[in-house]
Amino acid sequence: TQLLEQSPQFLSIQEGENLTVYCNSSSVFSSLQWYRQEPGEGPVLLVTVVTGGEVKKLKRLTFQFGDARKDSSLHITAAQPGDTGLYLCAGPIGSGNTGKLIFGQGTTLQVKP
Amino acid sequence: GAGVSQSPSNKVTEKGKDVELRCDPISGHTALYWYRQRLGQGLEFLIYFQGNSAPDKSGLPSDRFSAERTGESVSTLTIQRTQQEDSAVYLCASSLASGSQYEQYFGPGTRLTVT
């Protein structure tokens, strides 16, 4: 069974600090995705990483896919209150390219002004 | 254009009653997914529709759960004889086609509370 474990589960930091969120599995994934979800809304896709060792940047967010494609990290530089939310990693499951996703349990980030 | 919409936004029901949740996908999106999100947790895949193909029901937790989709439009998720453990947010997502290369667009969810 494929599982995605995220750490930490909760993170409360001051504005301007840096942070890293981890997403780990014992299984190999063809790709991993990162989503951000705000209260009362559905998740919104931030990035998809598909190549082992790949690094993608989205403004102050840096995403990395592990060389073995079993893990990924999200690093936020100089966090802002607007970064507050639930961050979820997800990967495809099942045979065939159906788009079905398995999600990690999420990391709740609170950035205090 | 309009995103994915879901109704109702909130539903409170008594244990043992049936509920029906609705999802309106983005027009032209052939793939539609239902997920369940328990409080403070990630999303759990339930069922997936692609065009007119038979749905993939592999994630449904019990035979009390069923879903239908009319062509490539509206989908309804039905939970019969609701139990307290069914309390969760039910999220629907649609994508242009099936496959992990296509972005899934999520609706705001229906928060179901079973008392």
Side-chain angles (χ1 to χ4, degrees), chain A residues 35-108:
Chain A
Y35 291 80
R36 179 162 160 257
Q37 184 179 22
E38 299 196 41
E41 297 181 9
V44 175
L45 180 66
L46 295 174
V47 78
T48 301
V49 285
V50 297
T51 306
E54 181 177 8
V55 176
K56 280 191 174 179
K57 293 194 175 185
L58 186 65
K59 297 182 181 178
R60 293 176 292 98
L61 279 60
T62 302
F63 304 86
Q64 185 160 8
F65 200 10
D67 290 342
R69 292 187 285 126
K70 291 183 178 182
D71 56 86
S72 181
S73 64
L74 157 60
H75 181 80
I76 301 179
T77 303
Q80 304 293 310
D83 296 327
T84 293
L86 178 67
Y87 289 82
L88 296 156
C89 66
I93 52 168
S95 59
N97 185 20
T98 62
K100 293 190 300 186
L101 296 172
I102 183 171
F103 283 79
Q105 74 272 41
T107 296
T108 300

Side-chain angles (χ1 to χ4, degrees), chain B residues 2-102:
Chain B
V4 177
S5 61
Q6 293 187 244
S7 61
S9 54
N10 282 284
K11 177 72 177 177
V12 180
T13 190
E14 291 180 353
K15 177 182 170 181
K17 295 283 177 73
D18 297 352
V19 295
E20 212 172 75
L21 313 179
R22 177 186 168 109
C23 171
D24 282 88
I26 294 172
S27 177
H29 280 196
T30 63
L32 187 148
Y33 306 83
W34 282 97
Y35 296 89
R36 177 170 70 179
Q37 185 174 30
R38 290 200 164 107
L39 188 62
Q41 299 294 313
L43 281 67
E44 174 189 6
F45 165 77
L46 296 177
I47 188 169
Y48 145 70
F49 296 88
Q50 169 55 50
N52 295 314
S53 302
D56 179 335
K57 306 178 183 180
S58 58
L60 294 179
S62 79
D63 58 9
R64 296 186 294 105
F65 288 72
S66 63
E68 292 183 346
R69 187 180 186 193
T70 308
E72 293 183 354
S73 61
V74 171
S75 176
T76 55
L77 176 69
T78 301
I79 308 174
Q80 295 179 310
R81 305 181 302 282
T82 51
Q83 303 294 311
Q84 288 187 328
E85 65 261 26
D86 300 334
S87 295
V89 175
Y90 289 82
L91 290 153
C92 170
S94 71
S95 62
L96 195 58
S98 62
S100 58
Q101 69 270 37
Y102 295 99

